[in-house]
Amino acid sequence: MRKAFAFSLVIFMAARVLAGNGGSAYTAFGLGDLRYSPSVRSMGMGYTGIGLPSPAYINALIPASWTRINRVRIEANGIYEGINTAEEGRSLYQAKGLFNGAMLAIPISQQNGIVLSGGFSPYSIVGYNTAFTASQNGLDYNINEVGSGGLYRGVLGLSYAPAEDAAFGASLNYLFGNFTQERVFSPLTPGASGSTFFVEEANRGVNFTLSGMYSGFGKFSEALRPLSLGVVLTTEANMKFDLSNRVNFSSEQDTFGVTEKRMTIPVAFGVGAAYQVADRWLLAADFFTQAWSNARYDGLPFEFIRNSSRFGLGAEKLPIKDASAWLDKLAYRLGVSYHQTYFEIFGQPINEIAFTTGFTMPVAGETRLSVGIEYALRGEKKAVQGNNGNVNLLKDSIIRVALSLSIAELWFVRYEEE
């Protein structure tokens, strides 16, 4: 399914209706729109956080960052996403709300930084709805193609701090989810019959994440004492998927059966740094890359896919300790992110730039509500040369608003008897 490439390309060549099914037409390629979401805090800081440990947030992508969590934390995330997809002469805005994952962190040994954490979050999302005209076997058709689904990432991991300034963490990641595609052929030729073609794909596989952090640079220079560095490596995932096809004609249905196939998701690597300026300002920078040119679908490379990379810069103004004014209890964030997405259509790279902001407010005790806001631009309205003529590319204007509620509780605490 990933995808019936000849038909997916017509999405960009048809110049009829270019729309999303609550998403972007670019999700017809690869595994859809990949989600990079360590946390809502990270989102507000330009998607940084690889080198940023914290006791108050669960970074789902960096297990080494969990070592300072000193209370049981439960985080649940939701996101509103609106995408305006445009080509020359027309545009369409669509929006949807999504549950964006949940994480649970349980400190086992605060002294040794041992924290057990688990949860799940979206890995990729497919959502497009396109209409175009094409010819098959000498007959003309109106064709409506709808794709939906995506992958989720389940995480179970552990962190450990052998020293105060060093931390390590690892997780087992289970990737799972379904893709569906429905293509309706409505004949324009008199007397011809129509049909509906269904493709379904059920995926599952595992990989591992290894990560580390170091904050002991004060041993070398006093000016480097506020600096921390982090690295993360996620191994290749060898996926299995069940592929089923079905065709409904006007008078009968034909099922092609279910076959098991294989797919690989490539290695990913990231490095990040954070530096605290005075008491209230925190700066961060991250680089993250994934070698999608090594990905395989049923033994073959993905078409129109390239290696991806993301660079982010962010800043956070920390709250004042023991502040009496409510506004002084908030954390404020700004960031920018440049993403070379893994989409490349007929040699034209699809890049994205995002501007982010956000804040965190206390709710009660150690419970916090975080808000992240992002405005991003992806691709451009442009005609490029395809196999059979010009291909009309799209420009996506994206607004995302994410909410995260982090609830903290003290567990396993033994109180003195009076």
Side-chain angles (χ1 to χ4, degrees), residues 18-72:
L18 295 173
N21 183 21
S24 169
Y26 285 118
T27 66
F29 299 97
L31 299 178
D33 193 359
L34 299 180
R35 296 297 164 137
Y36 184 78
S37 51
S39 66
V40 173
R41 181 198 192 193
S42 169
M43 174 184 177
M45 297 178 67
Y47 290 98
T48 60
I50 294 177
L52 192 59
S54 174
Y57 306 93
I58 307 174
N59 187 323
L61 301 184
I62 319 298
S65 68
W66 304 337
T67 56
R68 297 186 185 181
I69 295 176
N70 53 19
R71 286 173 169 78
V72 173

Side-chain angles (χ1 to χ4, degrees), residues 31 236-237 263-267 290-303 305 307 342:
L31 299 178
E236 180 179 274
M263 173 177 66
T264 59
I265 295 176
V267 170
Q290 193 164 13
W292 281 97
S293 61
N294 296 329
R296 294 295 181 268
Y297 180 89
D298 197 21
L300 299 174
F302 283 79
E303 292 191 74
I305 296 300
N307 294 338
Y342 74 154

